[in-house]
Amino acid sequence: MKLILKYFPNLTNTQIQQFEALERLYNDWNSKINVISRKDIDELYLRHVLHSLGIAKVINFAPGSSILDVGTGGGFPGVPLAILFPECQFHLVDSINKKLKVINAVAEDLQLTNIRTTHSRVEAIDETYDFIVSRAVTTMPEFTTWIKGKVAKTQKNDLKNGILYLKGGDLTEELKQYKTVKAFLLSDYFEEAFFETKKVIYLPLKFK
């Protein structure tokens, strides 16, 4: 939790309590359902919570923004972002239902009313959002086909609507076809070694 406060010192008391509760909740659920790998659960705040909040170093979502989290797994990056941005709406989608059960229980325990979940492949979702976020579920070319037509026309934020994708490694080849793509190095914001190769890939998308 010190790690979160180190980089996000202006949290409200409610947000601090919600972030603190994540360790208890995920440890409890992980003992029943393997939501997070055993290795990662010990470093929940570094590898999952702070990593998710890397997106918040790139954008400060405007109140009323809608965000779709694709392949959310145990709720990352959606749950930490929903705590940080209580005035935004988050739709967390995954094809594995047992993981959504965990997210629903976590959201209920934390009284997060700005999260909803859907058990579905993202292609079947028929809505539009200001931003679509995810953590390395596939390559960017494949990901853009999954979320085609799901970016809203109306602009609320300083950044143009589009994709905010958490990924690591050398992405030169994967991203070379995108003229407007921008990579934000998480090592510019966080000093821990874990973030050395981690990035937020931002791809603005025109409404189709």
Side-chain angles (χ1 to χ4, degrees):
M1 188 55 209
K2 283 179 184 171
L3 200 55
I4 307 305
L5 288 169
K6 175 180 173 182
Y7 294 109
F8 296 90
N10 301 319
L11 298 174
T12 65
N13 287 336
T14 299
Q15 287 171 321
I16 290 170
Q17 287 167 6
Q18 288 170 328
F19 278 122
E20 280 178 341
L22 290 178
E23 186 171 30
R24 168 180 59 81
L25 290 166
Y26 278 103
N27 271 313
D28 181 41
W29 274 104
N30 228 44
S31 65
K32 304 171 198 167
I33 298 170
N34 193 15
V35 189
I36 295 168
S37 75
R38 301 285 175 226
K39 178 187 71 176
D40 282 5
I41 194 74
D42 294 334
E43 295 191 83
L44 178 75
Y45 287 101
L46 174 72
R47 292 172 172 265
H48 293 281
V49 182
L50 191 59
H51 189 207
S52 297
L53 295 176
I55 287 172
K57 291 296 185 184
V58 172
I59 184 170
N60 185 17
F61 289 120
S65 295
S66 58
I67 296 102
L68 173 68
D69 179 2
V70 176
T72 187
F76 302 99
V79 170
L81 290 173
I83 294 173
L84 197 63
F85 298 104
E87 295 180 341
C88 299
Q89 296 301 314
F90 290 84
H91 188 183
L92 280 53
V93 174
D94 204 280
S95 58
I96 301 171
N97 200 33
K98 69 176 184 180
K99 293 189 174 180
L100 298 178
K101 181 182 169 186
V102 175
I103 296 167
N104 290 334
V106 168
E108 187 177 351
D109 193 287
L110 300 180
Q111 298 182 320
L112 289 173
T113 56
N114 60 335
I115 283 180
R116 64 188 170 107
T117 62
T118 302
H119 175 219
S120 170
R121 291 186 60 79
V122 68
E123 298 94 323
I125 302 291
D126 187 23
E127 297 178 50
T128 60
Y129 307 84
D130 299 308
F131 285 93
I132 297 172
V133 301
S134 192
R135 284 211 303 179
V137 289
T138 185
T139 63
M140 185 64 89
E142 185 172 25
F143 190 73
T144 54
T145 63
W146 289 2
I147 56 92
K148 198 171 183 182
K150 298 184 193 342
V151 175
K153 216 173 194 172
T154 316
Q155 197 72 35
K156 295 188 185 79
N157 290 270
D158 294 337
L159 282 184
K160 287 182 181 172
N161 294 356
I163 294 169
L164 290 161
Y165 206 38
L166 289 162
K167 245 189 161 193
D170 184 358
L171 304 171
T172 314
E173 194 62 29
E174 184 179 324
L175 300 175
K176 68 179 182 183
Q177 65 178 288
Y178 303 107
K179 302 286 183 280
T180 56
V181 76
K182 187 166 182 187
F184 294 88
L185 306 178
L186 287 181
S187 57
D188 288 347
Y189 308 104
F190 306 139
E191 64 186 14
E192 287 70 22
F194 174 73
F195 296 106
E196 275 174 18
T197 63
K198 302 284 191 289
K199 304 174 182 77
V200 176
I201 305 300
Y202 166 55
L203 181 63
L205 286 180
K206 286 181 180 161
F207 182 88
K208 292 286 193 301

